[in-house]
């Protein structure tokens, strides 16, 4: 009898392996296709996962891509003209310099040429500061601290320490600009500035731009439990920002982000509470009042679409999805991994809302 059982077990192994392989193939295809596609989403003209842009949260403003492409090709003059045109629009300035800083962190020959031609140009100095911080974070990598090597950590800390000099120079060359101080938040986060130093840095920023979206996003990361704060500190910071900011500033995004950063629940119950519904409603009012050209408005819309979907407010969710579809480099999608995984997750949530909204619209 024992021999027979062994024979049956051996014969069953290939069958089990095949079944597991088929299950893996099914799951991979399921997530890759974004819940197998959605007829309802297609009828609305929404794009499949493979057509989602995973590098941006929204289309770039007119003329920006040409300046970025020129920088990649070694020509600094269009970037200089872009920042001159943006002037003291601090939201757009910080966004443009973050994109240019990313490019310079990879290849800075064009920035070196700019610095040689205009040695004390505050715009070039700002991009240098941003790129130095970006380079430090590139050296570290995106893995959790326990998966970061000693060499990565040491290189990261050395580069961040050096970046402080570049940041100070950029701030001195343009004393009105909050962007160097916003850049320094990522140094504070990485090097572990004490809370008192972060408070001083925050005072410099808010004296120049009290309702700056990127500044608040960066500071919220510092105050999160995963970095230098706690759930309580992050939530208090986010709630205070949302309560004191005028409508249209988009700062209602931050209670939602603080919740997202610390939500360890395995279902959507925590996302459906009266408090969360009120936060989403506040975000909808904020988005409706904001300048349609605000460079960070799509980021709030991505969050609203996600939480409206979790709250089964599917028609409202689809209205937000329509406004951002095609671009998925935004919370909450970006926490799902690499580009294809991000697009698949976005489409899965979006498609479920599209199907539910279509079902609700059917006559009973």
């Amino acid at each position: 009898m024992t021999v027979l059982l062994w024979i049956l077990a051996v014969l069953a192994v290939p069958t089990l392996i095949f079944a597991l392989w088929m299950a893996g193939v099914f799951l991979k295809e399921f997530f890759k296709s974004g819940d197998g596609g959605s007829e309802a989403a297609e009828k609305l003209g929404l794009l499949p996962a493979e057509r989602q842009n995973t590098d941006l949260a929204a289309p770039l403003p007119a003329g920006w891509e040409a300046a970025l492409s020129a920088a990649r090709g070694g020509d600094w003059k269009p970037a200089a003209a872009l920042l001159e045109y943006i002037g003291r629009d601090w939201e757009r300035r910080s966004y443009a310099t973050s994109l240019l800083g990313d490019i310079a962190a990879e290849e800075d020959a064009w920035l070196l040429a700019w610095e040689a031609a205009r040695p004390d140009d505050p715009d070039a100095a700002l991009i240098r500061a941003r790129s130095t911080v970006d380079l430090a974070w590139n050296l570290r990598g995106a893995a959790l601290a326990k998966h970061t090597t000693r060499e990565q950590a040491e290189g990261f800390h050395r580069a961040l320490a050096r970046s402080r000099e570049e940041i100070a120079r950029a701030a001195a060359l343009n004393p009105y600009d909050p962007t160097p101080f916003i850049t320094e938040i990522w140094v504070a986060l990485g090097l572990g500035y004490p809370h008192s130093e972060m408070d001083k840095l925050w005072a410099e920023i808010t004296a120049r731009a009290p309702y700056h979206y990127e500044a608040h996003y960066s500071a919220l990361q510092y105050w999160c439990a995963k970095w230098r704060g706690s759930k309580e500190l992050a939530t208090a910071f986010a709630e205070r920002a949302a309560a004191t900011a005028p409508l249209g500033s988009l700062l209602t995004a931050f209670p939602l982000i603080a919740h997202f950063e610390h939500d360890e629940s395995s279902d959507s119950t925590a996302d459906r509470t009266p408090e969360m519904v009120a936060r989403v409603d506040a975000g909808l009012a904020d988005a409706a009042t904001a300048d349609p050209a605000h460079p960070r408005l799509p980021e709030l819309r991505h969050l609203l679409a996600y939480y409206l979907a979790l709250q089964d407010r599917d028609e409202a969710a689809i209205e937000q999805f329509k406004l951002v579809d095609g671009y998925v480099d935004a919370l909450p999608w970006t926490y799902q991994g690499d580009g294809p995984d991000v697009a698949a997750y976005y489409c899965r949530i979006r498609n479920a809302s599209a199907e539910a909204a279509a079902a609700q619209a059917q006559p009973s």
Side-chain angles (χ1 to χ4, degrees):
M1 185 67 178
T2 302
V3 173
L4 179 60
L5 289 174
W6 272 107
I7 293 171
L8 290 174
V10 169
L11 291 174
V13 168
T15 304
L16 178 60
I17 292 173
F18 179 77
L20 291 173
W21 178 79
M22 287 298 293
V25 169
F26 172 79
L27 288 172
K28 183 177 179 181
E29 291 302 314
F30 176 83
F31 285 109
K32 183 176 72 175
S33 63
D35 206 17
S38 167
E39 183 179 350
E42 292 173 7
K43 286 182 177 179
L44 293 169
L46 301 175
L47 300 176
E50 61 270 18
R51 293 182 60 190
Q52 300 293 330
N53 184 312
T54 58
D55 296 322
L56 296 168
L60 291 173
W64 285 35
E65 183 53 50
L68 298 178
S69 295
R72 293 188 192 99
D75 185 1
W76 58 269
K77 292 180 181 178
L82 174 62
L83 290 181
E84 183 178 355
Y85 173 77
I86 289 172
R88 293 191 179 186
D89 184 332
W90 304 131
E91 291 283 2
R92 286 175 175 79
R93 181 174 173 80
S94 69
Y95 185 29
T97 53
S98 71
L99 297 171
L100 291 165
D102 284 342
I103 296 171
E106 297 292 334
E107 172 53 63
D108 70 345
W110 62 278
L111 181 55
L112 288 168
W114 184 354
E115 292 167 327
R118 300 179 182 175
D120 292 320
D121 189 328
D123 295 342
L126 177 59
I127 296 172
R128 174 60 67 192
R130 299 282 306 225
S131 69
T132 306
V133 174
D134 287 345
L135 177 61
W137 284 92
N138 290 346
L139 289 171
R140 182 194 182 279
L144 296 173
K146 64 183 179 181
H147 300 305
T148 302
T149 68
R150 179 179 177 179
E151 290 75 15
Q152 285 176 305
E154 289 177 350
F156 171 60
H157 288 114
R158 283 196 301 270
L160 281 184
R162 287 197 302 269
S163 73
R164 297 180 70 177
E165 182 178 340
E166 301 290 355
I167 290 168
R169 181 170 182 267
L173 287 171
N174 190 352
Y176 300 101
D177 186 3
T179 317
F181 301 97
I182 296 169
T183 302
E184 190 173 355
I185 293 176
W186 293 94
V187 181
L189 191 154
L191 294 183
Y193 283 20
H195 292 179
S196 59
E197 288 300 309
M198 179 61 186
D199 289 339
K200 291 177 184 177
L201 181 57
W202 189 243
E204 295 284 0
I205 293 167
T206 53
R208 294 164 173 81
Y211 309 118
H212 196 288
Y213 187 97
E214 185 189 344
H216 281 81
Y217 177 81
S218 302
L220 179 60
Q221 293 299 309
Y222 173 93
W223 291 113
C224 279
K226 64 184 179 181
W227 287 110
R228 306 302 173 183
S230 65
K231 177 180 179 180
E232 292 72 24
L233 288 171
T235 301
F237 173 82
E239 294 286 4
R240 188 164 57 249
T244 57
L247 275 179
S249 63
L250 310 182
L251 299 196
T252 53
F254 292 101
L256 295 173
I257 296 174
H259 170 82
F260 177 77
E261 290 283 3
H262 298 91
D263 182 14
E264 298 179 349
S265 60
S266 58
D267 57 37
S268 60
T269 302
D271 307 307
R272 301 167 181 261
T273 63
E275 181 181 36
M276 282 299 292
V277 170
R279 286 172 174 170
V280 170
D281 287 343
L284 289 168
D286 204 1
T289 308
D291 176 0
H294 193 301
R296 303 295 181 171
L297 177 56
E299 295 177 34
L300 174 57
R301 293 199 185 281
H302 278 283
L303 282 167
L304 292 173
Y306 175 69
Y307 281 111
L308 286 164
L310 295 186
Q311 293 171 3
D312 294 332
R313 301 162 70 181
D314 296 296
E315 290 185 6
I318 289 301
E319 289 305 310
Q320 299 300 317
F321 278 121
K322 287 178 181 177
L323 293 168
V324 298
D325 197 61
Y327 297 83
V328 296
D329 186 37
L331 288 178
W333 328 116
T334 49
Y335 277 29
Q336 295 300 311
D338 296 328
D341 297 323
V342 170
Y345 182 63
Y346 165 84
C347 286
R348 184 156 58 91
I349 300 294
R350 182 204 65 188
N351 292 354
S353 267
E355 297 288 358
Q360 293 165 11
Q362 294 293 327
S364 55

